[in-house]
């Protein structure tokens, strides 16, 4: 029966391919001739089929699917959190050095932050002409849902401000259920029709397509496929087109596209081996928010500079890649929510190698979570932390499924650093510190004085690592010309509160991981945090 269903599905897809297209393209200005520079809206027709999103993965099950590989991830979390309690029963000496050695992660983060911090000021924008034989073009794609129009316009304006704006096809993707989407498209068209883009394309992602969940993955997948289809890109030209995926709360620096272009050329167009990532900084009115949100934002930037990029773990939010890699990797999986991590795993499977994450040496500004009051702000902060954690659990499940088809060393090396980062550093760092202190007080007897001093030393090292995040913040706001006013005593309070914020973050993550265990895949859906109260100014 399953074989017959597959044959029926194959015949259906074959018939669709031979039939008419299911997407109509409507010119925003009906008096213009549709040519290479026409600004258009791509809207779904009434009939939606599997061919529209190019889905080739298996049908998603409707049950909760509790028995998933993320259960192993939860088991690891509990082993690490309770490590200080059960190791002493095996050997006190082992306990001394195990509890101490895990803190080395903080020292490695400091080392890599310093290296990247020194190199990020290099100028990569001057020599494109000398290296460029065939023009490198760009697609910049922004996925939208219920975000305010001015927020979207602010992000698009940062793309319009690029020194290489003439290379860019701007793709703005709305959901079919977006309120007032037609008016938003028209307003954005009127505002940016003379910005210098090669073209502007608006896509409307249909609701309820099979094997999809609502979110950035499915929206980006649909928008990018429709845009590429309209552009009629030849397969042998895809190495010369770079795609940059953005959130609606992203501000690119004016030299982002120039820096990305040069980085790509210097790597001899490493189209199928490299993904490009700029360091993200959450300084969009960050000084006006609570210590919980600010500390989290500073630590996220620190970890991206010190871990995610140098250890090739994963990209975040805004990242770039070649169109040939996207095409070879079957674009973006619409059945998951974390497009940055899922793309990396999906494309490692296709290319049969571990992909390199290359840092674009220009800073990108992203917006933190916010709320009208400190209570709502903390609620939104916890909501986003929960969503990221559930997404990480889904990514772990997806990786285990794909790993069996990857080269063993590539799968093992990436799986190890991913699990160490998300399972040990993020999910258990705060909790491990708490259980370590309790273990030293309650279980481990006759602690040598030198071990006590070592533990204090690692605590100091950890606080110095946090201090690096605050030093980077003080410098980066000057580099990005961001107005930030934080009184020195308030800054000191934020610094002292960092371990407690990390502990609270770990508790939220622990709760989120067990949500997946109890409720299964039905909690794995996109629920964006509120950012509307930050305003549109810098």
């Amino acid at each position: 029966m399953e074989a017959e269903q597959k044959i029926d599905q194959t015949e259906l897809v074959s018939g669709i391919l031979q039939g008419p297209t299911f997407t109509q393209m409507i010119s925003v200005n009906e008096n213009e001739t549709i040519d290479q520079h026409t600004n258009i809206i791509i809207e779904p027709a009434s009939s939606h089929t599997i061919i529209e999103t190019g889905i080739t993965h298996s049908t998603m099950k409707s049950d909760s699917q509790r028995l998933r590989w993320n259960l192993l991830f939860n088991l690891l979390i509990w082993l690490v959190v309770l490590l200080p309690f059960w190791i002493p029963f095996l050997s006190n000496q082992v306990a001394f050095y195990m509890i101490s050695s895990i803190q080395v992660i903080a020292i490695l983060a400091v080392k890599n932050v310093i290296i990247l911090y020194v190199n990020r000021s290099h100028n990569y924008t001057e020599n494109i002409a000398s290296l460029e034989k065939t023009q490198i073009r760009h697609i910049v794609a922004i996925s939208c849902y219920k975000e305010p129009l001015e927020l979207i316009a602010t992000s698009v304006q940062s793309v319009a401000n690029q020194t290489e704006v003439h290379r860019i096809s701007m793709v703005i993707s709305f959901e079919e259920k977006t309120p007032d989407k037609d008016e938003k498209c028209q307003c954005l068209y009127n505002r940016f029709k003379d910005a210098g883009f090669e073209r502007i394309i608006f896509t409307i992602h249909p609701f309820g397509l099979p094997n999809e969940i609502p979110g950035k993955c499915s929206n980006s997948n649909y928008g990018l496929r429709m845009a590429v289809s309209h552009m009629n890109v030849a397969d042998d030209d895809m190495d010369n087109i770079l795609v940059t995926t953005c959130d609606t709360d992203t501000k690119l620096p004016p030299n982002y596209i120039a820096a990305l272009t040069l980085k790509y050329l210097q790597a001899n167009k490493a189209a199928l081996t490299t993904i490009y990532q700029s360091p993200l900084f959450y300084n969009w009115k960050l000084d006006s928010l609570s210590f919980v949100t600010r500390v989290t934002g500073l630590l996220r930037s620190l970890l991206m500079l010190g871990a995610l990029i140098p250890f090739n773990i994963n990209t975040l939010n805004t990242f770039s890649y070649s169109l040939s890699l996207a095409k070879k990797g079957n674009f973006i999986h619409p059945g998951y929510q974390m497009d940055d991590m899922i793309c990396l795993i999906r494309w490692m499977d296709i290319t049969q190698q571990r992909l390199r994450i290359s840092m674009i040496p220009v800073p990108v500004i992203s917006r933190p979570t916010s709320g009208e009051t400190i209570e709502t702000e903390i609620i939104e902060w916890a909501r986003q932390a929960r969503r990221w954690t559930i997404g990480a659990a889904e990514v772990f499940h997806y990786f285990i499924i794909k790993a069996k088809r990857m080269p063993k060393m590539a799968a093992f090396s990436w799986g190890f650093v991913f699990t160490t980062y998300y399972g040990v550093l993020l999910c258990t760092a705060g909790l491990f510190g708490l259980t370590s202190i309790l273990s030293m007080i309650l279980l481990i007897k006759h602690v040598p004085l030198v071990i006590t001093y070592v533990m204090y030393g690692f605590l100091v090292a950890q606080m110095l690592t946090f201090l690096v995040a605050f030093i980077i913040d003080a410098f980066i706001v000057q580099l990005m010309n961001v107005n930030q006013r934080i009184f020195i005593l308030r800054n000191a309070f934020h610094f002292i509160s960092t371990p407690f914020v990390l502990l609270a973050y770990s508790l939220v993550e622990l709760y989120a991981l067990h949500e997946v265990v109890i409720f299964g895949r039905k909690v794995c859906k996109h629920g964006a945090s509120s950012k509307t109260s930050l305003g549109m100014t810098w």
Side-chain angles (χ1 to χ4, degrees):
M1 291 177 61
E2 290 178 355
E4 289 175 354
Q5 289 174 356
K6 290 181 179 178
I7 292 172
D8 292 341
Q9 187 181 54
T10 302
E11 292 175 350
L12 171 64
V13 172
S14 177
I16 294 170
L17 286 171
Q18 295 174 3
T21 179
F22 289 90
T23 304
Q24 57 182 341
M25 299 180 214
I26 302 176
S27 172
V28 173
N29 187 341
E30 295 181 356
N31 295 322
E32 293 180 353
T33 301
I34 296 182
D35 58 17
Q36 184 181 10
H37 300 281
T38 299
N39 305 284
I40 64 167
I41 295 180
I42 299 179
E43 294 183 338
S46 57
S47 298
H48 307 311
T49 68
I50 193 171
I51 200 63
E52 288 189 285
T53 47
I55 297 171
T56 59
H57 54 274
S58 58
T59 302
M60 292 181 350
K61 298 178 182 179
S62 59
D63 61 311
S64 62
Q65 301 181 59
R66 292 179 177 84
L67 295 177
R68 297 167 66 79
W69 288 108
N70 55 271
L71 293 174
L72 291 179
F73 197 76
N74 284 60
L75 177 61
L76 171 69
I77 299 302
W78 278 111
L79 285 175
V80 174
V81 170
L82 298 179
L83 187 69
F85 289 118
W86 60 266
I87 279 290
F89 294 99
L90 301 180
S91 168
N92 277 356
Q93 188 175 8
V94 173
F96 299 150
Y97 295 104
M98 282 288 280
I99 292 172
S100 304
S101 62
I102 294 180
Q103 302 299 327
V104 173
I105 296 172
I107 298 174
L108 294 175
V110 172
K111 174 185 174 182
N112 287 287
V113 165
I114 293 173
I115 293 173
L116 294 174
Y117 183 76
V118 170
N119 290 310
R120 69 192 177 97
S121 60
H122 292 174
N123 187 350
Y124 293 95
T125 60
E126 298 177 351
N127 301 317
I128 294 178
S130 62
L131 294 175
E132 191 175 44
K133 296 179 181 178
T134 302
Q135 186 184 46
I136 303 299
R137 294 181 291 146
H138 294 262
I139 296 173
V140 179
I142 294 180
S143 300
C144 313
Y145 183 32
K146 293 183 178 180
E147 295 83 2
L149 177 63
E150 280 305 313
L151 174 61
I152 301 171
T154 300
S155 298
V156 176
Q157 185 63 58
S158 75
V159 184
N161 291 339
Q162 296 297 304
T163 58
E164 304 292 321
V165 64
H166 60 281
R167 299 174 183 262
I168 300 172
S169 292
M170 186 74 230
V171 180
I172 304 173
S173 302
F174 283 97
E175 291 288 343
E176 189 174 40
K177 288 195 170 185
T178 298
D180 304 320
K181 61 181 180 297
D182 295 333
E183 291 82 355
K184 289 181 177 179
C185 288
Q186 188 65 56
C187 289
L188 290 169
Y189 167 73
N190 292 337
R191 181 164 177 173
F192 296 106
K193 62 182 179 180
D194 299 321
F197 292 122
E198 184 177 354
R199 60 175 64 79
I200 303 177
I201 298 174
F202 298 88
T203 68
I204 310 300
H205 175 225
F207 176 77
L209 290 179
N211 296 333
E212 289 194 355
I213 63 171
K216 187 181 176 184
C217 274
S218 54
N219 193 331
S220 297
N221 178 66
Y222 184 86
L224 186 56
R225 286 178 182 275
M226 294 299 102
V228 171
S229 174
H230 165 70
M231 293 168 64
N232 283 325
V233 181
D235 287 347
D236 58 0
D237 193 35
M238 288 190 176
D239 282 358
N240 299 315
I241 299 178
L242 294 175
V243 180
T244 298
T245 299
C246 300
D247 285 349
T248 51
D249 53 2
T250 300
K251 181 176 172 61
L252 301 178
N255 57 348
Y256 179 93
I257 294 297
L260 170 61
T261 303
L262 186 59
K263 193 80 172 178
Y264 185 62
L265 292 171
Q266 288 177 331
N268 294 320
K269 298 183 181 179
L272 299 180
T273 61
T274 306
I275 301 178
Y276 300 89
Q277 174 78 64
S278 275
L280 298 180
F281 296 92
Y282 301 87
N283 293 91
W284 193 315
K285 287 196 170 183
L286 190 59
D287 56 338
S288 66
L289 301 177
S290 71
F291 72 96
V292 173
T293 304
R294 181 165 181 258
V295 167
T296 302
L298 299 190
L299 291 181
R300 288 191 71 200
S301 298
L302 175 71
L303 291 171
M304 169 167 276
L305 284 166
L308 291 181
I309 296 176
F311 290 106
N312 302 309
I313 300 176
N314 64 264
T315 54
L316 277 181
N317 299 359
T318 299
F319 58 102
S320 303
Y321 47 89
S322 71
L323 183 57
S324 54
L325 179 61
K327 177 69 180 300
K328 186 177 179 67
N330 202 20
F331 293 90
I332 302 167
H333 198 309
Y336 288 85
Q337 59 163 319
M338 308 290 282
D339 66 318
D340 35 31
M341 300 185 197
I342 292 297
C343 281
L344 182 69
I345 298 171
R346 187 179 177 93
W347 298 343
M348 282 196 300
D349 175 33
I350 295 296
T351 60
Q352 288 293 290
Q353 61 183 317
R354 189 172 172 190
L355 296 178
R356 177 172 177 260
I357 299 177
S358 179
M359 189 181 80
I360 307 171
V362 291
V364 169
I365 297 178
S366 186
R367 298 210 327 173
T369 55
S370 65
E372 299 295 337
T373 64
I374 188 168
E375 290 85 359
T376 56
E377 182 185 321
I378 291 175
I379 290 172
E380 293 297 336
W381 167 85
R383 182 183 180 190
Q384 188 171 71
R386 170 187 170 274
R387 179 172 63 87
W388 285 335
T389 306
I390 292 174
E394 271 291 270
V395 167
F396 183 81
H397 171 78
Y398 185 72
F399 167 71
I400 295 297
I401 293 174
K402 293 290 185 182
K404 61 185 178 183
R405 300 206 299 254
M406 298 180 191
K408 288 183 173 56
M409 279 307 299
F412 174 78
S413 62
W414 188 85
F416 177 78
V417 295
F418 175 85
T419 305
T420 300
Y421 178 78
Y422 285 98
V424 177
L425 187 59
L426 281 190
C427 294
T428 65
L431 294 172
F432 182 85
L434 177 62
T435 55
S436 297
I437 294 173
L438 294 176
S439 177
M440 295 289 280
I441 295 174
L442 301 176
L443 293 180
I444 303 179
K445 307 301 181 183
H446 311 297
V447 180
L449 190 60
V450 63
I451 295 297
T452 302
Y453 287 145
V454 167
M455 293 297 291
Y456 284 130
F458 279 121
L459 176 60
V460 172
Q462 187 181 48
M463 293 305 295
L464 288 176
T465 303
F466 298 152
L467 182 61
V468 170
F470 283 80
I471 294 173
I472 290 176
D473 177 67
F475 179 80
I476 202 69
V477 294
Q478 312 243 345
L479 183 65
M480 298 186 300
N481 295 319
V482 174
N483 293 325
Q484 178 172 282
R485 293 185 178 88
I486 296 185
F487 185 53
I488 186 171
L489 293 180
R490 182 172 173 233
N491 216 20
F493 167 71
H494 288 186
F495 171 68
I496 295 171
S497 69
T498 303
F500 303 99
V501 173
L502 190 61
L503 176 60
Y505 195 92
S506 295
L507 289 171
V508 172
E509 294 199 304
L510 193 65
Y511 170 81
L513 287 172
H514 287 79
E515 264 195 294
V516 183
V517 172
I518 296 171
F519 298 106
R521 201 181 193 280
K522 67 181 181 181
V523 300
C524 302
K525 57 185 179 180
H526 184 87
S529 298
S530 173
K531 302 183 181 185
T532 55
S533 66
L534 287 176
M536 306 304 152
T537 61
W538 294 90

Short mmCIF file of all heavy atoms in Angstrom, two decimals, residues 299-339:
data_model
loop_
_atom_site.label_atom_id
_atom_site.label_comp_id
_atom_site.label_asym_id
_atom_site.label_seq_id
_atom_site.Cartn_x
_atom_site.Cartn_y
_atom_site.Cartn_z
N LEU A 299 25.90 38.30 26.51
CA LEU A 299 26.45 36.95 26.52
C LEU A 299 26.25 36.26 25.18
O LEU A 299 27.12 35.50 24.72
CB LEU A 299 25.82 36.13 27.64
CG LEU A 299 26.19 36.53 29.08
CD1 LEU A 299 25.50 35.61 30.08
CD2 LEU A 299 27.70 36.49 29.28
N ARG A 300 25.13 36.50 24.53
CA ARG A 300 24.90 35.90 23.22
C ARG A 300 25.92 36.39 22.21
O ARG A 300 26.44 35.60 21.40
CB ARG A 300 23.49 36.22 22.72
CG ARG A 300 22.38 35.48 23.44
CD ARG A 300 21.06 35.65 22.71
NE ARG A 300 21.06 34.91 21.47
CZ ARG A 300 20.24 35.16 20.45
NH1 ARG A 300 19.35 36.14 20.55
NH2 ARG A 300 20.28 34.43 19.35
N SER A 301 26.22 37.68 22.23
CA SER A 301 27.25 38.21 21.33
C SER A 301 28.62 37.61 21.63
O SER A 301 29.38 37.26 20.73
CB SER A 301 27.30 39.74 21.43
OG SER A 301 26.07 40.32 21.04
N LEU A 302 28.93 37.51 22.93
CA LEU A 302 30.20 36.92 23.34
C LEU A 302 30.34 35.48 22.85
O LEU A 302 31.38 35.08 22.31
CB LEU A 302 30.31 36.97 24.86
CG LEU A 302 31.54 36.29 25.49
CD1 LEU A 302 32.79 37.08 25.19
CD2 LEU A 302 31.37 36.10 26.97
N LEU A 303 29.28 34.69 23.02
CA LEU A 303 29.33 33.29 22.63
C LEU A 303 29.39 33.12 21.12
O LEU A 303 29.99 32.17 20.62
CB LEU A 303 28.13 32.54 23.20
CG LEU A 303 28.13 32.38 24.72
CD1 LEU A 303 26.79 31.83 25.21
CD2 LEU A 303 29.27 31.47 25.17
N MET A 304 28.78 34.03 20.38
CA MET A 304 28.89 33.95 18.93
C MET A 304 30.32 34.22 18.49
O MET A 304 30.88 33.49 17.65
CB MET A 304 27.95 34.95 18.26
CG MET A 304 28.20 35.11 16.77
SD MET A 304 26.89 35.98 15.90
CE MET A 304 25.78 34.61 15.61
N LEU A 305 30.94 35.24 19.08
CA LEU A 305 32.32 35.57 18.74
C LEU A 305 33.29 34.49 19.20
O LEU A 305 34.27 34.19 18.51
CB LEU A 305 32.70 36.91 19.38
CG LEU A 305 32.16 38.17 18.73
CD1 LEU A 305 32.33 39.36 19.65
CD2 LEU A 305 32.84 38.42 17.40
N GLY A 306 33.02 33.89 20.36
CA GLY A 306 33.98 32.98 20.94
C GLY A 306 33.72 31.52 20.72
O GLY A 306 34.61 30.70 20.95
N ALA A 307 32.51 31.15 20.25
CA ALA A 307 32.20 29.72 20.12
C ALA A 307 31.51 29.38 18.81
O ALA A 307 32.02 28.56 18.04
CB ALA A 307 31.33 29.27 21.30
N LEU A 308 30.38 30.00 18.52
CA LEU A 308 29.58 29.59 17.37
C LEU A 308 30.34 29.71 16.05
O LEU A 308 30.31 28.79 15.23
CB LEU A 308 28.29 30.43 17.30
CG LEU A 308 27.26 30.18 18.40
CD1 LEU A 308 26.04 31.06 18.18
CD2 LEU A 308 26.85 28.72 18.45
N ILE A 309 31.02 30.84 15.84
CA ILE A 309 31.74 31.03 14.58
C ILE A 309 33.07 30.27 14.56
O ILE A 309 33.30 29.49 13.63
CB ILE A 309 31.95 32.53 14.29
CG1 ILE A 309 30.60 33.23 14.10
CG2 ILE A 309 32.81 32.72 13.05
CD1 ILE A 309 30.69 34.73 13.91
N PRO A 310 33.95 30.45 15.54
CA PRO A 310 35.26 29.77 15.43
C PRO A 310 35.18 28.25 15.48
O PRO A 310 36.02 27.58 14.88
CB PRO A 310 36.04 30.33 16.62
CG PRO A 310 35.03 30.86 17.56
CD PRO A 310 33.91 31.34 16.71
N PHE A 311 34.19 27.68 16.15
CA PHE A 311 34.06 26.23 16.21
C PHE A 311 33.07 25.69 15.18
O PHE A 311 32.74 24.51 15.19
CB PHE A 311 33.63 25.79 17.61
CG PHE A 311 34.71 25.97 18.64
CD1 PHE A 311 34.63 26.99 19.58
CD2 PHE A 311 35.80 25.12 18.67
CE1 PHE A 311 35.62 27.16 20.53
CE2 PHE A 311 36.80 25.28 19.62
CZ PHE A 311 36.72 26.30 20.56
N ASN A 312 32.61 26.57 14.26
CA ASN A 312 31.71 26.15 13.18
C ASN A 312 30.49 25.39 13.71
O ASN A 312 30.09 24.36 13.15
CB ASN A 312 32.46 25.28 12.17
CG ASN A 312 33.66 25.97 11.56
OD1 ASN A 312 33.56 27.09 11.08
ND2 ASN A 312 34.80 25.32 11.61
N ILE A 313 29.88 25.92 14.78
CA ILE A 313 28.74 25.23 15.38
C ILE A 313 27.47 25.50 14.60
O ILE A 313 26.83 24.59 14.09
CB ILE A 313 28.59 25.63 16.87
CG1 ILE A 313 29.86 25.28 17.64
CG2 ILE A 313 27.37 24.94 17.48
CD1 ILE A 313 29.86 25.72 19.09
N ASN A 314 27.08 26.76 14.52
CA ASN A 314 25.92 27.10 13.70
C ASN A 314 25.85 28.60 13.50
O ASN A 314 26.45 29.38 14.23
CB ASN A 314 24.61 26.59 14.32
CG ASN A 314 24.27 27.22 15.65
OD1 ASN A 314 24.56 26.66 16.70
ND2 ASN A 314 23.64 28.38 15.62
N THR A 315 25.09 28.98 12.47
CA THR A 315 24.82 30.39 12.22
C THR A 315 23.60 30.81 13.03
O THR A 315 22.87 29.98 13.57
CB THR A 315 24.55 30.63 10.73
OG1 THR A 315 23.51 29.73 10.29
CG2 THR A 315 25.81 30.36 9.90
N LEU A 316 23.34 32.13 13.08
CA LEU A 316 22.19 32.65 13.81
C LEU A 316 21.54 33.78 13.03
O LEU A 316 22.23 34.70 12.55
CB LEU A 316 22.61 33.17 15.19
CG LEU A 316 22.74 32.17 16.36
CD1 LEU A 316 23.14 32.92 17.62
CD2 LEU A 316 21.46 31.40 16.59
N ASN A 317 20.22 33.71 12.92
CA ASN A 317 19.38 34.82 12.46
C ASN A 317 19.75 35.33 11.06
O ASN A 317 19.04 35.12 10.10
CB ASN A 317 19.41 35.98 13.46
CG ASN A 317 18.89 35.61 14.82
OD1 ASN A 317 18.48 34.47 15.05
ND2 ASN A 317 18.91 36.54 15.74
N THR A 318 20.86 36.08 10.98
CA THR A 318 21.27 36.70 9.73
C THR A 318 22.55 36.04 9.24
O THR A 318 23.59 36.12 9.90
CB THR A 318 21.50 38.21 9.92
OG1 THR A 318 20.27 38.82 10.35
CG2 THR A 318 21.96 38.87 8.63
N PHE A 319 22.48 35.36 8.11
CA PHE A 319 23.65 34.67 7.58
C PHE A 319 23.55 34.60 6.06
O PHE A 319 22.48 34.85 5.48
CB PHE A 319 23.77 33.26 8.18
CG PHE A 319 22.58 32.38 7.97
CD1 PHE A 319 22.58 31.39 7.00
CD2 PHE A 319 21.43 32.53 8.75
CE1 PHE A 319 21.48 30.57 6.81
CE2 PHE A 319 20.32 31.70 8.57
CZ PHE A 319 20.35 30.72 7.59
N SER A 320 24.66 34.26 5.41
CA SER A 320 24.73 34.29 3.95
C SER A 320 25.31 32.99 3.42
O SER A 320 26.11 32.34 4.09
CB SER A 320 25.59 35.47 3.49
OG SER A 320 25.09 36.71 3.98
N TYR A 321 24.93 32.65 2.18
CA TYR A 321 25.37 31.41 1.56
C TYR A 321 25.16 31.53 0.06
O TYR A 321 24.41 32.41 -0.41
CB TYR A 321 24.59 30.22 2.12
CG TYR A 321 23.10 30.43 2.17
CD1 TYR A 321 22.27 30.10 1.10
CD2 TYR A 321 22.50 31.00 3.30
CE1 TYR A 321 20.90 30.31 1.15
CE2 TYR A 321 21.13 31.22 3.37
CZ TYR A 321 20.34 30.87 2.29
OH TYR A 321 18.98 31.09 2.34
N SER A 322 25.80 30.65 -0.70
CA SER A 322 25.65 30.70 -2.14
C SER A 322 24.31 30.09 -2.55
O SER A 322 23.79 29.19 -1.89
CB SER A 322 26.79 29.95 -2.82
OG SER A 322 26.66 28.56 -2.61
N LEU A 323 23.77 30.59 -3.66
CA LEU A 323 22.52 30.03 -4.17
C LEU A 323 22.72 28.59 -4.62
O LEU A 323 21.81 27.77 -4.53
CB LEU A 323 22.01 30.89 -5.33
CG LEU A 323 20.66 30.48 -5.93
CD1 LEU A 323 19.57 30.46 -4.87
CD2 LEU A 323 20.28 31.42 -7.07
N SER A 324 23.93 28.27 -5.09
CA SER A 324 24.20 26.90 -5.51
C SER A 324 24.13 25.94 -4.32
O SER A 324 23.65 24.80 -4.46
CB SER A 324 25.57 26.80 -6.18
OG SER A 324 26.58 27.31 -5.35
N LEU A 325 24.57 26.37 -3.14
CA LEU A 325 24.46 25.53 -1.94
C LEU A 325 23.00 25.35 -1.56
O LEU A 325 22.57 24.25 -1.19
CB LEU A 325 25.24 26.16 -0.79
CG LEU A 325 25.21 25.40 0.55
CD1 LEU A 325 25.81 24.01 0.39
CD2 LEU A 325 25.97 26.18 1.62
N ALA A 326 22.21 26.44 -1.63
CA ALA A 326 20.78 26.34 -1.31
C ALA A 326 20.08 25.39 -2.28
O ALA A 326 19.26 24.56 -1.86
CB ALA A 326 20.15 27.72 -1.36
N LYS A 327 20.39 25.50 -3.57
CA LYS A 327 19.75 24.64 -4.56
C LYS A 327 20.16 23.19 -4.36
O LYS A 327 19.31 22.28 -4.37
CB LYS A 327 20.14 25.12 -5.96
CG LYS A 327 19.59 24.25 -7.10
CD LYS A 327 18.10 24.37 -7.23
CE LYS A 327 17.56 23.50 -8.37
NZ LYS A 327 18.13 23.86 -9.67
N LYS A 328 21.43 22.93 -4.16
CA LYS A 328 21.91 21.57 -3.96
C LYS A 328 21.34 20.97 -2.68
O LYS A 328 21.04 19.77 -2.61
CB LYS A 328 23.44 21.55 -3.91
CG LYS A 328 24.06 20.17 -3.85
CD LYS A 328 25.57 20.23 -3.87
CE LYS A 328 26.20 18.84 -3.79
NZ LYS A 328 25.92 18.05 -4.99
N GLY A 329 21.16 21.81 -1.65
CA GLY A 329 20.63 21.36 -0.37
C GLY A 329 19.12 21.39 -0.27
O GLY A 329 18.57 21.29 0.82
N ASN A 330 18.44 21.58 -1.43
CA ASN A 330 16.97 21.57 -1.47
C ASN A 330 16.38 22.70 -0.63
O ASN A 330 15.37 22.53 0.04
CB ASN A 330 16.42 20.21 -1.03
CG ASN A 330 15.00 19.98 -1.53
OD1 ASN A 330 14.56 20.61 -2.48
ND2 ASN A 330 14.29 19.08 -0.88
N PHE A 331 17.05 23.85 -0.64
CA PHE A 331 16.60 25.06 0.02
C PHE A 331 16.40 24.83 1.51
O PHE A 331 17.24 24.22 2.17
CB PHE A 331 15.34 25.60 -0.67
CG PHE A 331 15.61 26.09 -2.07
CD1 PHE A 331 15.51 25.23 -3.16
CD2 PHE A 331 16.00 27.39 -2.31
CE1 PHE A 331 15.78 25.67 -4.44
CE2 PHE A 331 16.27 27.85 -3.59
CZ PHE A 331 16.16 26.98 -4.66
N ILE A 332 15.29 25.27 2.09
CA ILE A 332 15.11 25.30 3.54
C ILE A 332 13.97 24.35 3.92
O ILE A 332 12.90 24.39 3.31
CB ILE A 332 14.82 26.73 4.02
CG1 ILE A 332 15.96 27.67 3.60
CG2 ILE A 332 14.65 26.77 5.54
CD1 ILE A 332 15.64 29.14 3.73
N HIS A 333 14.19 23.54 4.93
CA HIS A 333 13.18 22.55 5.34
C HIS A 333 11.99 23.28 5.98
O HIS A 333 12.14 23.91 7.03
CB HIS A 333 13.79 21.57 6.33
CG HIS A 333 13.01 20.30 6.48
ND1 HIS A 333 11.65 20.28 6.73
CD2 HIS A 333 13.40 19.00 6.41
CE1 HIS A 333 11.23 19.04 6.82
NE2 HIS A 333 12.27 18.23 6.62
N PRO A 334 10.79 23.21 5.38
CA PRO A 334 9.63 23.94 5.92
C PRO A 334 8.95 23.26 7.10
O PRO A 334 7.96 23.79 7.61
CB PRO A 334 8.68 24.01 4.72
CG PRO A 334 8.98 22.77 3.96
CD PRO A 334 10.45 22.50 4.12
N GLY A 335 9.46 22.10 7.53
CA GLY A 335 8.82 21.39 8.62
C GLY A 335 9.46 21.63 9.97
O GLY A 335 9.10 20.98 10.95
N TYR A 336 10.41 22.58 10.04
CA TYR A 336 11.08 22.91 11.30
C TYR A 336 11.04 24.41 11.51
O TYR A 336 10.60 25.17 10.64
CB TYR A 336 12.53 22.40 11.28
CG TYR A 336 12.63 20.90 11.38
CD1 TYR A 336 12.53 20.10 10.24
CD2 TYR A 336 12.81 20.26 12.60
CE1 TYR A 336 12.61 18.71 10.33
CE2 TYR A 336 12.89 18.88 12.70
CZ TYR A 336 12.79 18.11 11.56
OH TYR A 336 12.86 16.75 11.65
N GLN A 337 11.53 24.87 12.66
CA GLN A 337 11.41 26.29 12.98
C GLN A 337 12.73 27.04 12.96
O GLN A 337 12.77 28.24 12.76
CB GLN A 337 10.76 26.48 14.35
CG GLN A 337 11.52 25.82 15.51
CD GLN A 337 11.11 26.36 16.85
OE1 GLN A 337 10.90 27.56 17.00
NE2 GLN A 337 10.97 25.50 17.84
N MET A 338 13.89 26.36 13.20
CA MET A 338 15.18 27.04 13.32
C MET A 338 15.91 26.96 11.98
O MET A 338 16.66 26.04 11.71
CB MET A 338 16.01 26.40 14.42
CG MET A 338 15.30 26.27 15.76
SD MET A 338 15.02 27.86 16.58
CE MET A 338 16.64 28.18 17.24
N ASP A 339 15.68 27.93 11.09
CA ASP A 339 16.23 27.85 9.75
C ASP A 339 17.74 27.86 9.73
O ASP A 339 18.37 27.19 8.91
CB ASP A 339 15.68 29.00 8.88
CG ASP A 339 16.15 30.36 9.35
OD1 ASP A 339 16.17 30.59 10.58
OD2 ASP A 339 16.49 31.21 8.51
#
